[in-house]
Amino acid sequence: MTANIPDIFASNVFNEEVMKARLPKNVYKNYKRTIQQREPLDMTTADFIANAIKDWAIEKGATHYTHWFQPMTGSTAEKHDSFISVGANGTAIMEFSGKALVKGEPDASSFPSGGLRRTDSARGYTAWDPTSYCFVKEGSLYIPTVFVSYTGEILDKKTPLLRSMDALSTTAVRFLKLFGNERVTRVTSTVGAEQEYFLIDKAMFDQREDLILTGRTLFGAKPPKGQELDDQYFANLKPRIAAYMAELDEELWKLGIYSKTKHNEVAPAQHEMAPIFTTSNLGTDQNELAMEVMEKVALRHGLVCLLHEKPFEGVNGSGKHNNWSMSTDDGQNLLDPGDTPMENLQFLTILCALIKGVDEYADLMRLSAASAGNDHRLGADEAPPAIISMFLGEELEAVLKAIENDEAYKTQSSTFEIGVNALPSFPKDSTDRNRTSPFAFTGNRFEFRMVGSSDNIACPNALLNTIVAEELSQFIERLEPFKGSNGFENEVKKLLKEVIKEHSRIIFNGDGYSAEWIKEAEKRGLPNYPSTVDCMPHYTDEKNLRIFRKFGIYNRNELTARTEIHLEKYSKTIRIEARTMVEMARKQLLPATLDYISKLCASIANKSQIGFTSRTETSMAEKLNELADKFYDSIQRLEERVNKACLVEGARQQAEFFHDYVLAEMDIMREIADEIELIMPRTEWPIPTYSEMIYNV
Ligand code: ADP
Ligand code: MG
């Protein structure tokens, strides 16, 4: 199977090229204008587009269409209607109206609304987001939509992202004018999400109830070999993995996703796919799609793709490195230092806006990546810590130091005056990369590494956009009076100096995985929120609510609702995990242990009849018997605690209870079970071991 990429690329996507070819000229023009000016589509245009989309989709084998949206459940949602209609004399005709394209009315009552429903406003509708492309998949036309309540309250993940993109654009365009960039009319945030994942054999997966129900292993002793040899990262691809990746690429390309890079990751059985970056809203859709395709293609290869942040204890977890930047409609990347002094000054100012923003809103950054799954990853086994800090690289840090101290910036060969000379371009060299930083500058973008592998990236990007919009708007206020005057440059330098002085505590270039950093960060006064329950309540802090309101991202109700949804999801996740543990322990692991103890006892009894000693069996039986008692007690305790947790009132209090009491007991139980596993013969242990799962493909 060799794919001709240009031939198949986006062959299932109704993108601009197809629209141009299939729509009457004036309709296409109307559509383009609508997008550029962010206006609603008029019905005549919508009818034309709907008809063209329908014909195109039917040619691609579609019989149905669905509004595709991203509710707060964390997965995408779809409900399929066929194009079928009753024609003359009872014939069937295929119909699709502009109205059906633009608006849908799914029953919203079963999606999490975080209490918005109580105000009787959660009856919802979906609305086409014409900035994202429609596509055909598995016999249906997919229409990317946003999902809002009838009273306008947002019920999904895409709406805040789109709002934040608009806020950022408006602000950044004004900001750029200060630097003489008069031509720019739109600034778009961009994202390239590197997606990490595990692949294991389906036959193994099917034997593990924990993987089936929770996506991660709740039991499992460490294998003799972990990732200590570093022999998996970038290792050659095994044939089965290579075949999987080839088919995955092809499927992604058909959907217009520029799958670019694929390689083995650090942990055994761990891999990565990185697409070429695109606009944040398209990037979000494409990442959701990519995850779905990854799972489906795996099944065709007898594999299961695990997207959980921490499927296996003791080896690396999976993240989704969220590469973020901003592009102008005239093609500049705003995080590219540029070739002229003015461009550099602009770049440094944006950089300082980010430094200030990340420092002031570290709590938002942290909680944008918070989930029960990611809690196991952050701060553990080679993942970024739960503390937000920024990495800029030696060179940029030296530039900032020079600004702070009113000095010229010296390189080996020359001296640079900020705002007079052009800065030397910064090496985009991987040797200068700090892979332990949660938020790292990588030459022309920031890489936010905290995001979990299974998470929807709309939220982190929406928050990042809002934070940057806020800082830029503060800078505008300060600098606008100096626009075009001689004093402008000086005022910028003064501003930068102040920001660097006040906020450089957020910059950290050392080893983010070290224990010293935790102490150092505390000294610097940086927040450290190890878990979801620690950070999530800060969503609604007044300072955060203020910026969301200022830019029209969330109102208080929406924010409170969102916080509640996240905390409830946290509690539910732990509850399911705990109950799965109890079930596996009771139905599989404890019975197996007791069985084996009786086998040992039988052997001891048999041997004693012929006068043999049974030192080994006796010692093993004693040890196992002792562990079985502990195991049993832990099962009882865990069950009791889960039941209690379910009765706790209040989303936050309940999540805290799950964290402090239930999760803690789960850890205890796992430790006991893993100790038992290490003593038991393989033939007696009822579930696949870590070695079997991660070295089997
Ligand atoms: P690395 O593993 O070294 O971080 P990768 O090539 O795996 O690099 O991933 C880099 C990601 O960053 C890719 O998805 C790439 O498209 C993305 N990227 C590059 N430039 C930008 C940008 N301006 N905005 C957003 N993402 C970008
Ligand atoms: Mg990478």
Side-chain angles (χ1 to χ4, degrees), residues 289-402:
L289 257 182
M291 288 194 285
E292 183 190 326
V293 173
M294 282 171 143
E295 289 178 332
K296 284 183 174 160
V297 171
L299 293 177
R300 292 185 218 147
H301 291 256
L303 298 165
V304 174
C305 174
L306 304 175
L307 292 168
H308 193 283
E309 285 74 19
K310 197 74 180 179
F312 303 103
E313 201 72 29
V315 295
N316 269 16
S318 296
K320 181 140 54 196
H321 296 173
N322 188 98
N323 292 272
W324 178 93
S325 187
M326 294 175 280
S327 290
T328 63
D329 53 354
D330 67 349
Q332 311 169 51
N333 174 358
L334 293 182
L335 287 179
D336 219 329
D339 309 316
T340 67
M342 207 44 159
E343 281 171 2
N344 286 151
L345 200 60
Q346 177 189 298
F347 163 75
L348 288 169
T349 312
I350 292 173
L351 189 72
C352 283
L354 270 147
I355 292 170
K356 183 166 178 293
V358 173
D359 188 30
E360 287 177 344
Y361 298 98
D363 50 356
L364 284 183
M365 301 274 297
R366 167 65 184 93
L367 67 84
S368 80
S371 68
N374 216 15
D375 279 0
H376 297 288
R377 171 177 165 259
L378 298 180
D381 298 304
E382 317 259 314
I387 306 162
I388 294 281
S389 68
M390 278 171 111
F391 168 82
L392 297 179
E394 258 172 48
E395 193 142 21
L396 258 186
E397 236 202 321
V399 173
L400 297 186
K401 269 263 149 354

Side-chain angles (χ1 to χ4, degrees), residues 255-303:
L255 290 166
I257 299 169
Y258 292 90
S259 173
K260 171 88 174 161
T261 309
K262 52 187 180 187
H263 60 78
N264 285 343
E265 258 299 333
V266 170
Q270 193 185 27
H271 316 279
E272 178 181 300
M273 185 281 294
I276 298 176
F277 70 96
T278 177
T279 60
S280 306
N281 61 322
L282 208 54
T284 299
D285 285 359
Q286 294 192 341
N287 181 251
E288 288 299 301
L289 257 182
M291 288 194 285
E292 183 190 326
V293 173
M294 282 171 143
E295 289 178 332
K296 284 183 174 160
V297 171
L299 293 177
R300 292 185 218 147
H301 291 256
L303 298 165

Side-chain angles (χ1 to χ4, degrees), residues 505-525:
R505 61 171 191 169
I506 196 74
I507 300 168
F508 177 64
N509 287 342
D511 180 0
Y513 295 167
S514 67
E516 294 86 73
W517 169 230
I518 298 180
K519 280 191 220 127
E520 164 73 17
E522 198 182 334
K523 248 198 252 152
R524 294 188 187 187

